[in-house]
Amino acid sequence: MAALAEEQTEVAAKLEPEGPPTLLPPQAGDGAGEGGGTTNNGPNGGGGNAAAAAAAAGDGGTPKPAVAVSAAAPAGAAPVPAAAAETDAPHDRQTLLAVLQFLRQSNLREAEEALRREARLLEEAAAGSGAPGEADGVGAEAASTLLSRVTASVPGPAAPDPPGTGASGAAAVLGSASVPAAPGKVASVAVEDQPDVSAVLSAYNQQGDPAMYEEYYSGLKHFIECSLDCHRAELSQLFYPLFVHMYLELVYNQHENEAKSFFEKFHGDQECYYQDDLRVLSSLTKKEHMKGNETMLDFRTSKFVLRISRDSYQLLKRHLQEKQNNQIWNIVQEHLYIDIFDGMPRSKQQIDAMVGSLAGEAKREANKSKVFFGLLKEPEIEVPLDDEDEEGENEEGKPKKKKPKKDSIGSKSKKQDPNAPPQNRIPLPELKDSDKLDKIMNMKETTKRVRLGPDCLPSICFYTFLNAYQGLTAVDVTDDSSLIAGGFADSTVRVWSVTPKKLRSVKQAADLSLIDKESDDVLERIMDEKTASELKILYGHSGPVYGASFSPDRLWATDHYQPLRIFAGHLADVNCTRFHPNSNYVATGSADRTVRLWDVLNGNCVRIFTGHKGPIHSLTFSPNGRFLATGATDGRVLLWDIGHGLMVGELKGHTDTVCSLRFSRDGEILASGSMDNTVRLWDAIKAFEDLETDDFTTATGHINLPENSQELLLGTYMTKSTPVVHLHFTRRNLVLAAGAYSPQ
């Protein structure tokens, strides 16, 4: 019987598949791992939200329920303490019999045989004969709770509570059951299609003595604080998720006084970057408060991911087994996903660099997918010579000296990048004549581009929005730097021309009919000079405009009336998005303090980056597509290697939210703009050289970031009182910055 108590059995059914704002012109100078080693025994397997993204981006077919059965305890899972094993053995035996009966009724013979072999049950025991003394005399009360994760639809007055649901939102997990007293009988299974708050909360039922919660937590805290330094840093990651779940259990079971005492005693021990979450948690003092709280629901439905070395995990397991601390162990098994790796434990610095998101660290499996981060081959476009190049002689009649050719965008990508995606991986539109003309202009500008570096920093022009009482919420600049647009809280989008060329409207239809369509200047003739102005206001939104972009990238197509891809997975608002230079991927930054990289082809989440301690507000890819820079409310700029899925740099210096990030056109300088009224320039070449991306670092996350990033800082430029909302490098590597003046 004791042997059966260690077997983890579960049945899950999953569904697969005051004046108007003005723009001030620029002022110069204003400026268990390894496979079975995880302790992931819950019905969702810590599946998280990458699975949700994949399911949401399917072909739209009707989901089909499928039954998944797991009967073996993972290799890294700790055995139940001996005393508990003896007590729970009859219960687990009845559970196995009920599951086998259910599989037989569902004609799942292969699964039934595999489960029986795994559990080492006899054929006659599997038949569920229902003898009076079977399972050591377990009666109707024990039989009524046979399957902890199976919801049974039983005729009669007693209806079961709805089950808890998976983190992905696309999986429905079978919950607790109410069955007749006869052992071995399982009624028809009812599957819930959508997450339900009351179902999620029901997992906090049937918990231990509330008076012992403080003793349990204090005991574990004392054990971790007295452990060796190399293990203490890793095991300290348990404090926050255990604190949250134990508090929620007390509140849900209406032990309000005990919950208040527990919170007041231990909330000060948590890391500083969880203070905003704890502030929300402190408002949940009654069971009724929990049923409408999204933050609580997200925390409950997403397994908190901890990455711990095998030695540290074995130490924790032995402690809980010796102390028979089932309350803590149940939370670890049910609510946490411990990603175990072989090797030396990580240091406090390495752990602090990676943690801080709403759901812990990213699982290593989430960052193992192959990513084509290389650039696509540029189409062949002939660049016509300028008039000045055609002149064979200068004013003095002497032959003109030819200037040495500089590398251009076109010449750099004529060879196929080995890390680039196949050319036809996603359908790309044919280049129009206007697109080709724009590329030609781009190549010409490239020949005049300033080569930046530590000894040659760019000039910065700052555009200040004055009288923006409606609230400037978004800014963007066209790639050719000719237009600047601002989105405002009054629902308007205002577009300015920053060149002598004014903005004009198209003529009326009657006037257009008189124009010679074959003329060379037809595009000029169709414009109405009477409407020329430096500013145009666009109306149409019914709320604040939080994003404005001149980019042609889009997820909507004119021949479809529905979105082509839905990227589902973040646990909170998405604040920023950015397309990869090869258009095959899109990065998103969220208030859940994670950055995700999505595959446009199939909608899958191929990278999850954690490490920021606040909501992410800015993203940018390096021109070669290999690196990603992110900025957040914590004032830090983090650098990521997309191919290996690793953090490779941390830039500290800003004292407020980093609102904008941009690489120079050649990728040698990274510019960051912040709410602290500064623009900072960083040496990107030095930041990315000599990276440690060996197999061990990739497998364990043992990153070694420099303690001081000030040696990478090339310059800091302050404004008078204007937060920096947007940055842009022109084609010649001039920096344009923009923001709304904020009087003190």
Side-chain angles (χ1 to χ4, degrees):
M1 294 298 179
L4 291 178
E6 298 182 9
E7 302 293 340
Q8 299 289 333
T9 305
E10 58 194 39
V11 177
K14 295 192 291 186
L15 301 179
E16 302 195 317
E18 294 172 66
T22 60
L23 182 65
L24 187 67
Q27 302 295 324
D30 185 20
E34 313 305 331
T38 64
T39 63
N40 179 22
N41 301 335
N44 303 314
N49 302 281
D59 57 4
T62 304
K64 299 180 180 179
V67 176
V69 178
S70 173
V80 179
E86 290 295 330
T87 304
D88 296 337
H91 172 85
D92 286 343
R93 181 180 178 83
Q94 288 284 28
T95 300
L96 285 170
L97 294 175
V99 171
L100 288 168
Q101 184 70 13
F102 166 72
L103 293 175
R104 174 166 294 185
Q105 292 178 355
S106 302
N107 294 322
L108 298 172
R109 295 289 182 180
E110 294 183 4
E112 178 190 358
E113 293 294 334
L115 179 57
R116 190 187 306 114
R117 286 195 303 270
E118 189 71 31
R120 299 184 296 277
L121 291 179
L122 299 176
E123 181 69 28
E124 52 270 18
S129 59
E134 188 176 20
D136 297 331
V138 177
E141 181 179 355
S144 65
T145 56
L146 285 181
L147 302 179
S148 62
R149 296 188 181 94
V150 176
T151 294
S153 177
V154 182
D161 290 333
T165 57
S168 68
V173 180
L174 307 177
S176 60
S178 176
V179 298
K185 302 291 185 180
V186 178
S188 60
V189 176
V191 179
E192 296 290 338
D193 290 331
Q194 296 295 334
D196 184 84
V197 177
S198 60
V200 169
L201 294 176
S202 65
Y204 290 129
N205 272 329
Q206 303 175 356
Q207 300 303 325
D209 183 4
M212 298 295 293
Y213 274 50
E214 290 188 12
E215 181 178 337
Y216 292 147
Y217 192 87
S218 296
L220 180 65
K221 183 171 180 286
H222 177 74
F223 162 72
I224 293 176
E225 290 177 346
C226 293
S227 61
L228 296 176
D229 292 346
C230 60
H231 300 300
R232 186 188 309 144
E234 288 196 324
L235 294 179
S236 295
Q237 299 177 76
L238 288 163
F239 288 149
Y240 175 67
L242 288 177
F243 171 80
V244 172
H245 283 295
M246 294 178 78
Y247 175 77
L248 292 176
E249 285 180 359
L250 290 171
V251 172
Y252 182 78
N253 292 288
Q254 300 181 350
H255 305 300
E256 297 173 9
N257 293 332
E258 290 86 350
K260 181 179 180 181
S261 174
F262 182 82
F263 187 91
E264 291 178 350
K265 185 173 182 179
F266 298 113
H267 84 278
D269 298 335
Q270 311 307 319
E271 297 286 357
C272 60
Y273 40 79
Y274 291 125
Q275 293 308 310
D276 289 341
D277 298 332
L278 293 175
R279 197 174 300 113
V280 175
L281 193 67
S282 65
S283 65
L284 306 176
T285 58
K286 296 181 181 295
K287 181 178 179 180
E288 293 75 18
H289 298 165
M290 300 173 67
K291 293 188 177 181
N293 190 281
E294 292 184 3
T295 301
M296 194 289 310
L297 183 62
D298 288 336
F299 197 91
R300 171 63 189 88
T301 56
S302 300
K303 288 202 168 190
F304 197 90
V305 180
L306 306 173
R307 190 178 301 172
I308 296 178
S309 67
R310 191 172 299 279
D311 291 342
S312 297
Y313 173 70
Q314 294 294 341
L315 188 67
L316 171 68
K317 185 173 70 172
R318 283 196 298 270
H319 169 75
L320 295 179
Q321 188 172 358
E322 291 172 0
K323 298 296 183 181
Q324 297 184 10
N325 196 337
N326 294 336
Q327 192 65 38
I328 298 290
W329 184 246
N330 289 339
I331 293 178
V332 171
Q333 292 288 89
E334 186 68 23
H335 301 298
L336 307 185
Y337 182 101
I338 299 184
D339 193 358
I340 302 174
F341 64 88
D342 293 311
M344 291 293 294
R346 293 184 297 171
S347 66
K348 183 73 164 62
Q349 179 193 14
Q350 291 171 330
I351 294 173
D352 286 344
M354 300 298 295
V355 300
S357 78
L358 201 59
E361 289 192 58
K363 290 182 290 186
R364 286 176 297 159
E365 290 79 6
N367 292 332
K368 287 184 177 179
S369 302
K370 180 175 177 57
V371 173
F372 300 102
F373 58 83
L375 303 183
L376 294 171
K377 184 179 179 181
E378 287 285 340
E380 297 290 340
I381 299 177
E382 294 184 3
V383 182
L385 295 175
D386 289 335
D387 293 339
E388 59 184 25
D389 296 330
E390 294 175 356
E391 296 177 1
E393 299 180 352
N394 57 17
E395 295 177 358
E396 300 178 0
K398 296 180 180 179
K400 206 178 176 186
K401 293 183 180 180
K402 292 185 178 180
K403 296 181 180 180
K405 291 186 177 180
K406 298 182 181 180
D407 290 337
S408 66
I409 292 179
S411 61
K412 280 186 178 179
S413 52
K414 285 184 178 179
K415 292 184 179 180
Q416 183 68 35
D417 189 330
N419 296 306
Q423 199 77 18
N424 58 351
R425 186 172 185 267
I426 60 173
L428 297 175
E430 293 290 334
L431 289 180
K432 301 177 182 178
D433 291 341
S434 58
D435 298 326
K436 294 179 180 179
L437 182 61
D438 184 66
K439 283 187 175 292
I440 291 173
M441 294 300 297
N442 190 359
M443 293 177 185
K444 289 182 178 180
E445 291 287 330
T446 301
T447 62
K448 303 173 183 178
R449 178 183 301 166
V450 177
R451 190 67 178 263
L452 301 179
D455 300 326
C456 183
L457 298 180
S459 299
I460 303 177
C461 292
F462 201 102
Y463 291 90
T464 303
F465 289 80
L466 299 176
N467 301 326
Y469 306 116
Q470 297 89 345
L472 178 70
T473 51
V475 178
D476 194 32
V477 179
T478 55
D479 186 69
D480 63 1
S481 310
S482 62
L483 301 175
I484 184 170
F488 293 86
D490 65 353
S491 306
T492 62
V493 176
R494 299 166 187 261
V495 182
W496 285 268
S497 172
V498 293
T499 65
K501 191 174 182 179
K502 295 185 177 181
L503 302 176
R504 300 166 294 174
S505 302
V506 179
K507 293 180 178 179
Q508 299 295 327
D511 297 329
L512 289 175
S513 62
L514 304 177
I515 296 176
D516 181 10
K517 300 180 179 58
E518 302 298 329
S519 61
D520 295 336
D521 59 346
V522 62
L523 295 179
E524 285 293 324
R525 294 190 180 191
I526 64 175
M527 309 307 296
D528 189 355
E529 293 295 337
K530 298 177 182 178
T531 62
S533 65
E534 295 179 349
L535 167 67
K536 294 292 183 182
I537 303 178
L538 309 178
Y539 299 94
H541 290 287
S542 58
V545 180
Y546 290 115
S549 177
F550 288 106
S551 172
D553 296 330
R554 60 190 179 277
L555 286 185
W556 292 78
T558 56
D559 56 344
H560 293 73
Y561 54 86
Q562 73 278 353
L564 300 180
R565 287 289 178 269
I566 297 176
F567 303 115
H570 281 296
L571 300 179
D573 295 344
V574 176
N575 296 328
C576 52
T577 61
R578 181 71 57 183
F579 271 91
H580 190 275
N582 66 22
S583 302
N584 279 250
Y585 303 94
V586 61
T588 56
S590 170
D592 66 6
R593 307 190 285 277
T594 67
V595 176
R596 291 174 180 257
L597 186 69
W598 309 87
D599 191 335
V600 173
L601 178 65
N602 50 35
N604 290 342
C605 180
V606 294
R607 291 289 182 270
I608 302 177
F609 297 131
T610 62
H612 278 295
K613 309 303 185 284
I616 288 88
H617 282 269
S618 54
L619 301 164
T620 189
F621 287 97
S622 62
N624 62 8
R626 181 182 175 187
F627 302 105
L628 174 69
T630 60
T633 58
D634 57 9
R636 299 155 67 227
V637 176
L638 300 184
L639 308 176
W640 310 89
D641 184 324
I642 297 173
H644 293 88
L646 285 177
M647 182 194 301
V648 295
E650 178 185 27
L651 307 178
K652 295 181 179 180
H654 287 293
T655 58
D656 207 333
T657 302
V658 180
C659 297
S660 183
L661 291 167
R662 285 295 183 275
F663 281 97
S664 61
R665 296 284 175 150
D666 46 24
E668 295 187 349
I669 287 181
L670 173 65
S672 59
S674 170
M675 295 295 288
D676 62 7
N677 304 340
T678 65
V679 175
R680 295 174 186 261
L681 302 179
W682 309 87
D683 189 342
I685 296 297
K686 191 173 182 179
F688 293 133
E689 67 182 1
D690 299 329
L691 296 179
E692 294 185 9
T693 53
D694 53 70
D695 294 339
F696 176 76
T697 303
T698 304
T700 62
H702 281 66
I703 57 171
N704 295 301
L705 302 177
E707 295 183 2
N708 185 9
S709 60
Q710 292 304 303
E711 60 183 15
L712 301 176
L713 182 61
L714 300 177
T716 301
Y717 307 89
M718 298 186 64
T719 66
K720 295 174 182 175
S721 186
T722 305
V724 184
V725 178
H726 186 78
L727 291 171
H728 173 79
F729 275 90
T730 68
R731 292 170 176 173
R732 300 191 187 186
N733 270 338
L734 171 70
V735 178
L736 304 182
Y741 177 74
S742 177
Q744 298 297 330

